[in-house]
Amino acid sequence: MNVDYSDLRDFIDKVDAIGDLRRVSGARLEYEIGAITEVAAGLSHCPAILFDKIPGQPAGNRVFTNATVGAKRAAMALGIDHTLTPLDALRAWKERRSKLTLIAPQVTDDVPYLENVMDGEDVDLRRLPSPVWHPDDGGPYIGSGALVMTRDPESNWVNSSIYRIQVHDEKRVTIQFDHNGRHGAIISKRYWDKGEPCPVAIVCGQDPALFISGFEYLPEGASELDFAGAIKGAPVPVHPGPRTGLPIPARAEIVLEGLLMPFPQDSLPEGPFGEFTGYYAADKRPAPIMHVTAIYHRHNPILLGSPPLKPPRFHFGLSFRAASMWSNLEAAGVTDIAGAWQHVSQLMTVISLKQRYAGHAKRAALIAAANSYMGRIVVVVDEDVDPSNLADVMWAVTTRAEPSEDVDIIRNAWSSSLDPRISAADRDAGLTSNSKMIIDACIPFQHRDSYPKTSALSLAQSNEIMRRWRAEIG
């Protein structure tokens, strides 16, 4: 199954068709749009929001948020049946992802993003919506889910990743790379080392396949445009940016072109910005300046906003990075994985498996811990526990794990400068590791046959009841 949307507008229509869209008129850019987005993301039905009639903005300018926060919308974005349970949808994505064939983009002269052009002295970022997403953010951010496109000067590889973009005045923004290992930072530095600015295109209204691709951990040299084509099952239509020549998605809503100036010679203080951990990880810090030399946008443009929010709210309603971890476990030879999920915005990983031998659960946990970015907790549960259901997981933790026997600590593991627990001094010194707790919440292998029998329905029985009686109880 491939996706059946052509661009962000088409996706919004399909979200509306399944009853997941809410329209809000008159909300202000200064935190009100962000506040409504956060509250809506915490509701049980977690709707997507389309904001219009924004005070101070030209008529027709809109902002779309919570695009893929709900499980149904995340499944739709990936080309998966949105009526599946979250775990079944993730399993379907894992299987689909393993068979994806990369599809290169295709150049087109049908270019909606060129319907309106601001060039040179006419450039004015104030004519586009840039919300202040959180109460204590350092300013407005046009890029909370924006795709930043750069081309490697040596290999011609085009990288398209998600980085945050703060607006400083009508012609300048900053791009904040999380750390120097990010592909966008690596490419930019190759220009800067030659004393040159880096040509950049920023796409602020891409479709969900491109949004997801921008978040994926693809290897250096791999194309997010190709990966988005694989998700869509068709080439992404692109058109060379008039200023940069970069292959910009032709059906994008808003595009900024310009030059990212050599850093740290040219910089502005950026932030603070509320992070996906639910904290401000740092105060203002220097970030490279992009001089915006041209702006293009469709008629009545839509900004795709995806601000980091306090967990459990996250950009994606399906834990698609857990699908990659699931595949990694199987590739490492760990058999009988029944499922994987990440809670608390990826900070807690749960692996479900059918135990085949003593040490099976610990083996899976150690591999999961090694691949858990910033996460501090890894839990392994038996196959009768739904890893996507946190209440179910905690039931296993509280009835099957003995703290004095089933908890291990891994030290000096993979974290990030965004980790609020890391001290400012360590962060400044580049010491961004943390510890990880492994909880083996499986029935002890030696007691599997004698452990008290559960009174609950199995996952298969529960799913069958939902299938048969969804209309009455769902």
Side-chain angles (χ1 to χ4, degrees), residues 390-460:
L390 189 55
D392 213 17
V393 172
M394 294 311 298
W395 169 73
V397 169
T398 53
T399 62
R400 298 179 181 180
E402 183 60 46
S404 64
E405 300 174 8
D406 297 319
V407 175
D408 289 285
I409 304 296
I410 306 297
R411 290 175 171 78
N412 199 30
W414 187 27
S415 190
S416 162
S417 62
L418 301 182
D419 189 334
R421 184 62 177 78
I422 294 172
S423 70
D426 284 349
R427 186 182 296 115
D428 291 343
L431 303 177
T432 56
S433 63
N434 67 3
S435 59
K436 299 185 188 294
M437 177 171 64
I438 291 174
I439 303 174
D440 183 349
C442 294
I443 293 171
F445 185 75
Q446 66 274 23
H447 299 313
R448 289 174 305 141
D449 295 334
S450 59
Y451 209 78
K453 180 182 294 187
T454 178
S455 61
L457 294 172
S458 69
L459 289 180

Side-chain angles (χ1 to χ4, degrees), residues 275-291:
E275 298 292 350
F276 76 95
T277 58
Y279 295 89
Y280 287 91
D283 202 351
K284 290 183 182 294
R285 52 181 171 168
I289 302 168
M290 176 185 174
H291 290 283

Side-chain angles (χ1 to χ4, degrees), residues 2-3 96 100-105 209-210 213 223-236:
N2 295 325
V3 302
R96 181 166 184 248
L100 288 179
T101 300
L102 298 179
I103 301 176
L210 286 158
S213 297
S223 167
E224 287 80 9
L225 296 176
D226 292 3
F227 191 81
I231 294 174
K232 294 168 75 73
V236 174

Side-chain angles (χ1 to χ4, degrees), residues 241-471:
R243 291 266 183 163
T244 63
L246 286 161
I248 298 170
R251 302 193 66 81
E253 292 287 329
I254 299 167
V255 175
L256 317 180
E257 279 195 303
L259 297 171
L260 193 63
M261 306 309 291
F263 180 80
Q265 297 95 309
D266 290 299
S267 68
L268 282 171
E270 189 268 356
F273 188 63
E275 298 292 350
F276 76 95
T277 58
Y279 295 89
Y280 287 91
D283 202 351
K284 290 183 182 294
R285 52 181 171 168
I289 302 168
M290 176 185 174
H291 290 283
V292 180
T293 54
I295 296 175
Y296 319 105
H297 66 84
R298 298 178 67 163
H299 299 320
N300 302 321
I302 304 170
L303 176 75
L304 174 62
S306 189
L309 301 172
K310 177 186 173 183
R313 306 160 187 85
F314 194 55
H315 302 286
F316 306 105
L318 290 179
S319 183
F320 74 83
R321 283 178 178 164
S324 300
M325 191 177 291
W326 189 345
S327 297
N328 290 341
L329 286 163
E330 292 178 342
V334 182
T335 61
D336 295 281
I337 302 297
W341 202 265
Q342 291 183 311
H343 296 274
V344 199
S345 302
Q346 304 182 113
L347 301 177
M348 174 180 175
T349 298
V350 183
I351 305 298
S352 171
L353 53 74
K354 182 177 178 63
Q355 294 187 80
R356 293 293 186 184
Y357 49 86
H360 190 178
K362 183 65 65 65
R363 183 184 177 195
L366 289 169
I367 294 172
N371 288 277
S372 178
Y373 171 64
M374 280 187 65
R376 280 192 166 81
I377 302 174
V378 175
V379 182
V380 188
V381 295
D382 291 293
E383 77 277 10
D384 65 330
V385 176
D386 181 352
S388 72
N389 185 324
L390 189 55
D392 213 17
V393 172
M394 294 311 298
W395 169 73
V397 169
T398 53
T399 62
R400 298 179 181 180
E402 183 60 46
S404 64
E405 300 174 8
D406 297 319
V407 175
D408 289 285
I409 304 296
I410 306 297
R411 290 175 171 78
N412 199 30
W414 187 27
S415 190
S416 162
S417 62
L418 301 182
D419 189 334
R421 184 62 177 78
I422 294 172
S423 70
D426 284 349
R427 186 182 296 115
D428 291 343
L431 303 177
T432 56
S433 63
N434 67 3
S435 59
K436 299 185 188 294
M437 177 171 64
I438 291 174
I439 303 174
D440 183 349
C442 294
I443 293 171
F445 185 75
Q446 66 274 23
H447 299 313
R448 289 174 305 141
D449 295 334
S450 59
Y451 209 78
K453 180 182 294 187
T454 178
S455 61
L457 294 172
S458 69
L459 289 180
Q461 290 169 331
S462 179
N463 288 342
E464 176 61 16
I465 290 296
M466 277 301 295
R467 186 189 66 79
R468 292 175 58 192
W469 299 97
R470 183 184 302 274

Side-chain angles (χ1 to χ4, degrees), residues 95-152:
E95 293 171 358
R96 181 166 184 248
R97 192 186 191 287
S98 69
K99 299 172 184 175
L100 288 179
T101 300
L102 298 179
I103 301 176
Q106 190 171 73
V107 176
T108 180
D109 289 326
D110 180 12
V111 194
Y113 80 71
L114 290 177
E115 288 172 347
N116 299 272
V117 176
M118 288 182 262
D119 210 353
E121 290 303 313
D122 293 332
V123 167
D124 189 351
L125 288 160
R126 295 171 299 185
R127 291 160 61 186
L128 295 171
S130 298
V132 178
W133 293 104
H134 313 101
D136 295 316
D137 283 357
Y141 280 78
I142 196 170
S144 58
L147 204 62
V148 177
M149 304 185 69
T150 53
R151 188 194 304 274
D152 187 90

